[in-house]
Amino acid sequence: MDFNIDVEKKFGAKLAYVRKSKKLSQIKLAEIVDMNFNYIGQIERGEANVTIKTMKILANALEVEIHTLFDFKF
């Protein structure tokens, strides 16, 4: 797998998968992390270039290790 191709889309898809597995809406996740729900949607669609700090915040809110969001085999 070429990690550099569409990594934003793969990260976003994994974020959405984990979020849904926790039964959270984009709006609820956005409230937890104090971000706009539109930004959560942009991340999940691979449209946003997310910082490591934001990734950490999202992982903490979802109660997963950050590396979980980079395991694209799901």
Side-chain angles (χ1 to χ4, degrees):
M1 165 171 65
D2 186 347
F3 190 80
N4 294 319
I5 296 177
D6 293 328
V7 70
E8 292 91 353
K9 288 187 182 199
K10 291 176 184 176
F11 178 85
K14 183 61 181 252
L15 177 64
Y17 176 82
V18 173
R19 175 183 59 76
K20 290 173 186 175
S21 76
K22 303 282 184 171
K23 307 224 184 307
L24 292 173
S25 67
Q26 286 181 348
I27 294 172
K28 184 63 178 172
L29 178 58
E31 288 173 359
I32 293 169
V33 296
D34 194 28
M35 294 178 192
N36 187 296
F37 75 93
N38 289 317
Y39 183 53
I40 300 295
Q42 289 173 338
I43 295 170
E44 290 185 356
R45 291 188 302 275
E47 297 171 355
N49 188 3
V50 185
T51 66
I52 293 172
K53 181 178 179 180
T54 298
M55 291 175 195
K56 234 174 108 175
I57 290 168
L58 291 167
N60 287 340
L62 293 169
E63 300 177 336
V64 297
E65 296 291 328
I66 193 169
H67 66 83
T68 303
L69 299 176
F70 288 95
D71 179 2
F72 300 141
K73 298 174 187 162
F74 60 100

